[in-house]
Structures are given as structure tokens and as C-alpha cells.
Amino acid sequence: MLDKVGLANQTTMYKKETRAIGQLMQKAMMKKFGPVDAKDHYLEFDTICDATQERQDAIHELVENASELDLDFILVVGGWDSSNTAHLLEIPQKAGIRSFHINKADCIGADNTITHRTMSGDIVTEKFIEDIEDAGKTVVMGVTSGASTPDKAVQDSLSSIFMLKKLQSGKEE
């Protein structure tokens, strides 16, 4: 039988999930040892990465305001094998917001396609920006990236989108 328990989670887990697990463990120890002595038998470590949490909070805010912002899509840039980045895609996907997880700018094709990773882990290619040919259409996007994604990967991805819009609409900017 367990006498002492410590909890440390992967740093890329959702903070809410981490807290819920911690509370379950703490309640079990309080039930077994009482509220006064539980602290001698249970210790929880806050291992959530600040950069990861800030990105999760920001994407939640973006999702909550998506209608008001009239977002066309959310772009998530980062490694396809990154748990952190995969969580960032889950948030808009679960809210029904069109979103794409790419690992590099080359995923954005000059033919208005995007090769991206789905929540299930499949790599698919599909049409990217709706009505891009309309020179008067303003493309409104939200952008985030994994905590360890280099800024250059995000910048290159945005440059690809701006170039695609320019090419497809024939508009000089």
C-alpha cells in the first residue's frame, strides 16, 4: 500500500488536466491520512512550462473571440511530433474552427493547398484559403506555434501565405 506519493506531469499537458489529476491524488491521500497529515504523504510538483501555458491560454482566447474576429483559420506551426503543438491544434479543432498544423513553410503550396497534420496524426493535403482569387478579400488568420518552434519557421510560414495571397489575387501590395 502506498504511503507517500509525488506527482510530476509532462510539461506539455494542459494545466487544467494536471490540476484535476493532482486534486484526485490529494483527495485520496486526505481520505486515507486525514487533511492534517495528507501533506506529509503527498507532494505535487508544478512542471508546466510557462511558454506552453501562455500559448495554450492565448489560443483559448483566440478561439473564444473567433467569431468577433471573423477568422478564416488558425495556423499552428511546429514539429509534427510535438505533443505541445498537437495540443495547440486540438483547442480550435474541438471548437469547430478551421485550423491547420504545419511543421514548415513548404507545407503551403503555390497552388493554394496546404499539407498539414490532423488531430488524428494523419498528414493530408487540401485546399487552403477559400476565395483567395478575390482581390478584395481580406484573409484573417490566427497564428500560434509550439514553445520550441523557431521564430523563423513562423515568419517563413507567414511569408508564404502573404506571397500566396499576392500571387492568387494578382494584387500588388
Side-chain angles (χ1 to χ4, degrees), residues 6-26:
L7 176 66
N9 282 323
Q10 180 178 344
T11 60
T12 56
M13 284 186 67
Y14 292 124
K15 199 165 207 160
K16 279 188 204 175
E17 289 175 0
T18 300
R19 285 192 179 133
I21 292 166
Q23 287 175 346
L24 285 173
M25 299 287 285
Q26 187 176 34

Side-chain angles (χ1 to χ4, degrees), residues 79-130:
W80 280 340
D81 59 350
S82 165
S83 170
N84 164 20
T85 309
H87 283 314
L88 293 173
L89 178 68
E90 281 177 10
I91 297 166
Q93 287 280 307
K94 287 183 176 179
I97 297 171
R98 195 163 182 254
S99 46
F100 306 98
H101 173 188
I102 65 172
N103 66 343
K104 57 186 174 184
D106 292 348
C107 291
I108 299 165
D111 59 348
N112 191 29
T113 58
I114 186 165
T115 300
H116 63 100
R117 183 184 181 276
T118 64
M119 272 182 33
S120 64
D122 297 327
I123 307 300
V124 299
T125 301
E126 64 182 85
K127 182 177 178 181
F128 185 26
I129 301 173
E130 303 293 329

Side-chain angles (χ1 to χ4, degrees), residues 51-75:
T52 296
Q53 188 59 48
E54 287 169 8
R55 283 166 170 75
Q56 289 176 4
D57 292 345
I59 198 82
H60 274 291
E61 186 175 336
L62 194 57
V63 165
E64 289 168 10
N65 295 296
S67 295
E68 183 180 317
L69 296 168
D70 198 24
L71 286 179
D72 290 302
F73 61 88
I74 293 176
L75 184 69

Side-chain angles (χ1 to χ4, degrees), residues 115-171:
T115 300
H116 63 100
R117 183 184 181 276
T118 64
M119 272 182 33
S120 64
D122 297 327
I123 307 300
V124 299
T125 301
E126 64 182 85
K127 182 177 178 181
F128 185 26
I129 301 173
E130 303 293 329
D131 303 323
I132 195 169
E133 308 82 19
D134 180 356
K137 176 180 173 45
T138 300
V139 177
V140 182
M141 65 183 142
V143 182
T144 189
S145 63
S148 60
T149 302
D151 289 345
K152 183 165 177 19
V154 177
Q155 291 166 355
D156 289 349
S157 299
L158 290 174
S159 293
S160 292
I161 294 169
F162 296 145
M163 183 59 72
L164 175 64
K165 174 66 174 148
K166 190 173 181 179
L167 289 173
Q168 294 288 326
S169 67
K171 182 179 176 184

